[in-house]
Amino acid sequence: MKITGKVFDSEAYASTILRIVELVGRKLDQGHRFAIVVGGGRRAREYIELGRRLGIGEAFLDALGIEVSRVNALVMASILGPHAHLPIPRSVDDFLRAWASGKVVVLGGLQPGQSTNAVAAVVSELVGADLLINATDVSGVYDSDPKTNPGARLLKEVTVEELERLASRDAIPGSYELFDLVALEIVKRSKIPLVFLSVYDTENMARLLEGEDFVGTKVVYKTNNSLKLNDA
Amino acid sequence: MKITGKVFDSEAYASTILRIVELVGRKLDQGHRFAIVVGGGRRAREYIELGRRLGIGEAFLDALGIEVSRVNALVMASILGPHAHLPIPRSVDDFLRAWASGKVVVLGGLQPGQSTNAVAAVVSELVGADLLINATDVSGVYDSDPKTNPGARLLKEVTVEELERLASRDAIPGSYELFDLVALEIVKRSKIPLVFLSVYDTENMARLLEGEDFVGTKVVYKTNNSLKLNDA
Amino acid sequence: MKITGKVFDSEAYASTILRIVELVGRKLDQGHRFAIVVGGGRRAREYIELGRRLGIGEAFLDALGIEVSRVNALVMASILGPHAHLPIPRSVDDFLRAWASGKVVVLGGLQPGQSTNAVAAVVSELVGADLLINATDVSGVYDSDPKTNPGARLLKEVTVEELERLASRDAIPGSYELFDLVALEIVKRSKIPLVFLSVYDTENMARLLEGEDFVGTKVVYKTNNSLKLNDA
Amino acid sequence: MKITGKVFDSEAYASTILRIVELVGRKLDQGHRFAIVVGGGRRAREYIELGRRLGIGEAFLDALGIEVSRVNALVMASILGPHAHLPIPRSVDDFLRAWASGKVVVLGGLQPGQSTNAVAAVVSELVGADLLINATDVSGVYDSDPKTNPGARLLKEVTVEELERLASRDAIPGSYELFDLVALEIVKRSKIPLVFLSVYDTENMARLLEGEDFVGTKVVYKTNNSLKLNDA
Amino acid sequence: MKITGKVFDSEAYASTILRIVELVGRKLDQGHRFAIVVGGGRRAREYIELGRRLGIGEAFLDALGIEVSRVNALVMASILGPHAHLPIPRSVDDFLRAWASGKVVVLGGLQPGQSTNAVAAVVSELVGADLLINATDVSGVYDSDPKTNPGARLLKEVTVEELERLASRDAIPGSYELFDLVALEIVKRSKIPLVFLSVYDTENMARLLEGEDFVGTKVVYKTNNSLKLNDA
Amino acid sequence: MKITGKVFDSEAYASTILRIVELVGRKLDQGHRFAIVVGGGRRAREYIELGRRLGIGEAFLDALGIEVSRVNALVMASILGPHAHLPIPRSVDDFLRAWASGKVVVLGGLQPGQSTNAVAAVVSELVGADLLINATDVSGVYDSDPKTNPGARLLKEVTVEELERLASRDAIPGSYELFDLVALEIVKRSKIPLVFLSVYDTENMARLLEGEDFVGTKVVYKTNNSLKLNDA
């Protein structure tokens, strides 16, 4: 199981982060393992903007965002202390080595042209994850953009094909950030159990981790892949 | 400038490969630089098939294909001898280090869930390529699948948007291999001059490299990016 | 303890490999550790032949064989899944780091000019192996070449000196593959318990692993080093 | 020769940075080589503050600052493009490998408990630098703290012993940032020509690079080490 | 907890080293972890002398000493066998990876311009050490240099400020080797419990490790940090 | 071309080493490239002896010798300064990366169970060396052991087969150090021009490098491989 969260986007850093670390720690004690992919957030965007003003090309703008996501990953790994692997992996080979240590592996981006969502999907595949939690800044997948449409309805379940339609270019603008097509292709081919929820509601996340009812969206595949969290 | 070719797909290995190396050598003498991304070809597919029968998961099937593409890359780098960087890069960081040496960098795949086309696109962006040549097993982009439709017409030019439509899921089956959406998104955002031609017709490739007329398809961006090969 | 096998030489891949992985898994549960060195097999030879036709030098032909042996190693490691270390080690330093993780370490060749037998010997020395199993395509060491002489007799035991005589240049052609002089020098100086058997007879291998009677050849050193498998 | 600058401390990023890159580029054309060590600046301090609130220990707070300084280094290296080595070095071994490429090497911090000034001093020693330029947020070394004392007088020259006295704990608060004792010990033992000037006055920096009169402070060693910039 | 010792300075290598390894082994069985930093000793000084005669610069003389300290580290790690991590770390990133394996990590120096004492301090900070034992060639900190003054009195306790005064340049010559200012700054900011004792009296070291009375000097911080060895 | 020498065996370090570096420098100016493999010498033997007394196994005794040879390599690389690659390579991959930089690559041993002669042979093959100079403590290959037989005659030429006979176990004791069977097998298969001479007579070495008559032994292959030094 692993948590993907742009948890460093928000100003309310300290408390949310510490609470997530606490939740992870509790599940570690129960024998679960975690890989945590973190996004770059506001500072990544600031560096990318600066870089664009300096005439830096797209690949290196991405690289700047990746480096910032790794700084965020280092923050989370530092709080986890001896439970987390260090240094932060910089490639798939690095990730595999880190994972072999038995520790929680926190990472940011890996490659230009690839979102941290895609990283989370690849990493989930590599470790044979029981669950991929996408903790984002909205409560899950909506039938329209919740940021512009106050009447947008949160979907309890969504098929992967529906999600692909939402993520595709011609679909609702802004939904891109939820999960891009590359990431979806990977979760789809390996039928990785995938859940979207809000990073800010850590009590809700706790309920998910305990196998209880939670507010968010679960991705449904044709053959029935129920959440296997508690059988892991 | 760089060449992307699944040149190891064909049985006619020796002569085609040697001729491509010769072309590269000639342009090196003129001060051009090359990064060459090679695919996995038949042996990659054989290993993936074997792996599937052994119950290996998707990410590691990809990893097998990537490793085989790296063996192919090693073949080409070995022929280039002192002109090529060794060892074969295994990550973007590795690639950048190799590129800094001033040598030709030959590489295969980089990450599960990512095609060698996407690798070629990322690498082109990283080095600010003047031209990305996609040397494939057909003569370029057709208006329908040339393998099933004998009347398929080769397009001399194609807009990147048209290519996206062709590469998208609902489009002509088999065209996927030409260039996937991730790769397209990268060439599009950086307007990387991109050309498709047949890997088997090395005289044609020579004409392209000399700035002459060639058989193949050129990708067109809205703002006019003419080939800048000879101004480089 | 570790198994050295050119298990990918045979066409009967799937079942033999899976059965060996199963045997390894059973001994892991009993607290044993394994390093598994795999050869390059047929595909290595194919790449070396191709490379020779392309004019590639000996060191890089070896390098091609090594890379293919690493692809084979990746197949085996992928089946072992979380029990195996990834990525596949590329040097002694890499191997030691991988071994420190407590996982099964699967590897192929390490250096041009060095057989995978020599790698198995070095690795056995580094980890202080209780047993080095050389699972090959014949049932053990014969008094003459079993491939050309139908009356060749399988030796139940062979002194390391006798083995050296067999492996030396002036001895029976073809026996080279059993174990080369470099590998022998290492097992000899560290008196590493060494056994030869057929990779295809996995039931026989199971008997060896359980400390029972098996068909194969045991190398004998002057001072009595009995197999210490079950005391490990 | 190399430039050490906390050039990312200021808001006036874009123009100053671009102008420094331009100056470096001009000297590169004249055959000079550069290693550029950049500090972490404001964002480093923000991350360290955040980390402290999260209860992260001193070594990892330093590590956060180091990672941010590496993001800054990546910004500068990206502008330098093909003239700069990538990826950003993470250790002395990395630095040496990068330096061997013949490119400009841009780096941030290297180790917890070590300032970027100390990094600049070590790097200067490793490459046998002709000149270490410390481009900081004041115009050089003053006889008292220029930030609190409007009458502070800029010293044109300062002996290394005097600088040690200023940098030592009991000396003027705030001068610590100029150059710490570890850094001083290194420049002292290798008599590395060292100059302090303002990072914001790039015309002044240009004058220094051309061997002309400049506003700033030159460190004097007992045996006469004149600036050897133009004899290099 | 970790032991810093120039244990390879003495001729009486074998017995002292073996006894320290035995002590470490006993504490490992009780669940403690160790990082062991070893100095370069006599051979480091010999190489540095040779290098100086050959005209090698200060940074590389340091590098020679560091490499020798790593050979010493390899001796100690080899005796520890499967309990120790290999290979010997060459950077902070390397160290963190090694530490993540759960093994004892033995290391030598890390960077030119940095003492092995500073390495021990950084490493102690990184792992959140309960105790940093500085096993040196004198019995602890004296009120004057014990090597020149037979009446020098061993201090049972010393404040970190007093130690700084002793270590500073203007203080007693020879005391430098005890602990340099960089190392002190790190132990001070993280209040790392620090003890000085003789490397030759292993019975004394055993008493310290068991929490009993020992001959040596304990560093005292303003807020009371009692030794927490047995609560770890 | 490359020089293999146990140049650190002798007490007369400084002058011999400096003279060899001078010779290398002169040939560098003429456009030649060098890889220099150095042995471990006396200090390697001392560490191995110490390790044996401490009960360290054969593989790690080799590792100690290798590390010391790397310290010697660092001495030589430091004198070469900007002409040499740093850090010292630790694997074949490392060596290839270092070689790609265009610098002189100085290295020591690579793997347990492998002599530095074998390293020199592998490295010669990898770079397609024109000449492998084995600078040793005798003047070349003799018809009997020159250390015990005062009447031993220096051979001006020796066939590789004769050398194999001399190096084989049943041959003249002491000749082992000249060149072991593994090393011979590599030079033989690639017909690497190989010359033995004394490391102490640098004037003689200079004559060889200038293509003049020299005192030493040249290895002869069946097909005529004349020294190609001056045609390179």
CSV table of all heavy atoms in Angstrom, one decimal, chain D residues 62-77:
chain,number,residue,atom,x,y,z
D,62,ASP,N,20.0,20.6,8.1
D,62,ASP,CA,21.1,21.0,7.2
D,62,ASP,C,20.9,20.3,5.8
D,62,ASP,O,21.1,20.9,4.8
D,62,ASP,CB,22.4,20.4,7.8
D,62,ASP,CG,23.1,21.4,8.7
D,62,ASP,OD1,22.4,22.3,9.2
D,62,ASP,OD2,24.3,21.2,9.0
D,63,ALA,N,20.5,19.0,5.9
D,63,ALA,CA,20.2,18.3,4.6
D,63,ALA,C,19.2,19.0,3.8
D,63,ALA,O,19.3,19.1,2.5
D,63,ALA,CB,19.8,16.9,4.9
D,64,LEU,N,18.1,19.5,4.4
D,64,LEU,CA,17.1,20.3,3.7
D,64,LEU,C,17.7,21.5,3.0
D,64,LEU,O,17.4,21.8,1.8
D,64,LEU,CB,16.0,20.7,4.6
D,64,LEU,CG,15.0,19.6,5.1
D,64,LEU,CD1,14.1,20.0,6.2
D,64,LEU,CD2,14.2,19.0,3.9
D,65,GLY,N,18.5,22.2,3.8
D,65,GLY,CA,19.1,23.4,3.2
D,65,GLY,C,20.0,23.0,2.0
D,65,GLY,O,20.1,23.7,1.0
D,66,ILE,N,20.7,21.9,2.1
D,66,ILE,CA,21.6,21.5,1.1
D,66,ILE,C,20.8,21.1,-0.2
D,66,ILE,O,21.2,21.5,-1.3
D,66,ILE,CB,22.4,20.2,1.6
D,66,ILE,CG1,23.5,20.6,2.6
D,66,ILE,CG2,23.1,19.5,0.4
D,66,ILE,CD1,24.1,19.5,3.3
D,67,GLU,N,19.7,20.4,0.0
D,67,GLU,CA,18.9,20.1,-1.2
D,67,GLU,C,18.4,21.3,-1.9
D,67,GLU,O,18.4,21.4,-3.1
D,67,GLU,CB,17.7,19.2,-0.7
D,67,GLU,CG,18.1,17.8,-0.3
D,67,GLU,CD,18.8,17.0,-1.4
D,67,GLU,OE1,18.7,17.3,-2.6
D,67,GLU,OE2,19.6,16.0,-1.0
D,68,VAL,N,18.0,22.3,-1.1
D,68,VAL,CA,17.5,23.6,-1.8
D,68,VAL,C,18.6,24.2,-2.5
D,68,VAL,O,18.5,24.7,-3.6
D,68,VAL,CB,16.9,24.5,-0.7
D,68,VAL,CG1,16.5,25.9,-1.4
D,68,VAL,CG2,15.6,23.9,-0.1
D,69,SER,N,19.8,24.2,-1.9
D,69,SER,CA,21.0,24.8,-2.6
D,69,SER,C,21.2,24.1,-3.9
D,69,SER,O,21.7,24.7,-4.9
D,69,SER,CB,22.2,24.8,-1.7
D,69,SER,OG,22.7,23.6,-1.5
D,70,ARG,N,20.9,22.8,-3.9
D,70,ARG,CA,21.1,22.0,-5.2
D,70,ARG,C,20.1,22.4,-6.2
D,70,ARG,O,20.3,22.3,-7.4
D,70,ARG,CB,21.1,20.5,-4.9
D,70,ARG,CG,22.3,20.0,-4.2
D,70,ARG,CD,22.2,18.6,-3.7
D,70,ARG,NE,23.4,18.2,-3.0
D,70,ARG,CZ,23.5,17.1,-2.2
D,70,ARG,NH1,22.4,16.4,-1.9
D,70,ARG,NH2,24.6,16.8,-1.6
D,71,VAL,N,18.9,22.7,-5.8
D,71,VAL,CA,17.8,23.2,-6.7
D,71,VAL,C,18.3,24.5,-7.3
D,71,VAL,O,18.3,24.7,-8.6
D,71,VAL,CB,16.5,23.4,-6.0
D,71,VAL,CG1,15.4,23.7,-7.1
D,71,VAL,CG2,16.0,22.1,-5.3
D,72,ASN,N,18.9,25.4,-6.5
D,72,ASN,CA,19.4,26.6,-7.0
D,72,ASN,C,20.5,26.4,-8.0
D,72,ASN,O,20.6,27.0,-9.1
D,72,ASN,CB,19.9,27.5,-5.9
D,72,ASN,CG,18.8,28.1,-5.0
D,72,ASN,OD1,17.6,28.1,-5.5
D,72,ASN,ND2,19.1,28.5,-3.8
D,73,ALA,N,21.4,25.4,-7.7
D,73,ALA,CA,22.5,25.0,-8.6
D,73,ALA,C,21.9,24.5,-9.9
D,73,ALA,O,22.5,24.8,-11.0
D,73,ALA,CB,23.3,23.9,-7.9
D,74,LEU,N,20.8,23.8,-9.8
D,74,LEU,CA,20.2,23.3,-11.1
D,74,LEU,C,19.7,24.4,-11.9
D,74,LEU,O,19.8,24.4,-13.2
D,74,LEU,CB,19.1,22.3,-10.7
D,74,LEU,CG,18.4,21.6,-11.9
D,74,LEU,CD1,19.3,20.9,-12.8
D,74,LEU,CD2,17.3,20.7,-11.4
D,75,VAL,N,19.1,25.4,-11.3
D,75,VAL,CA,18.7,26.6,-12.0
D,75,VAL,C,19.8,27.2,-12.8
D,75,VAL,O,19.8,27.4,-14.1
D,75,VAL,CB,18.1,27.7,-11.1
D,75,VAL,CG1,17.8,29.0,-11.9
D,75,VAL,CG2,16.8,27.2,-10.4
D,76,MET,N,20.9,27.4,-12.1
D,76,MET,CA,22.1,28.0,-12.8
D,76,MET,C,22.7,27.1,-13.9
D,76,MET,O,23.0,27.6,-15.0
D,76,MET,CB,23.2,28.4,-11.8
D,76,MET,CG,24.3,29.1,-12.4
D,76,MET,SD,25.2,30.2,-11.3
D,76,MET,CE,24.3,31.8,-11.5
D,77,ALA,N,22.8,25.8,-13.6
D,77,ALA,CA,23.3,24.9,-14.6
D,77,ALA,C,22.4,24.8,-15.8
D,77,ALA,O,22.9,24.7,-16.9
D,77,ALA,CB,23.5,23.5,-13.9
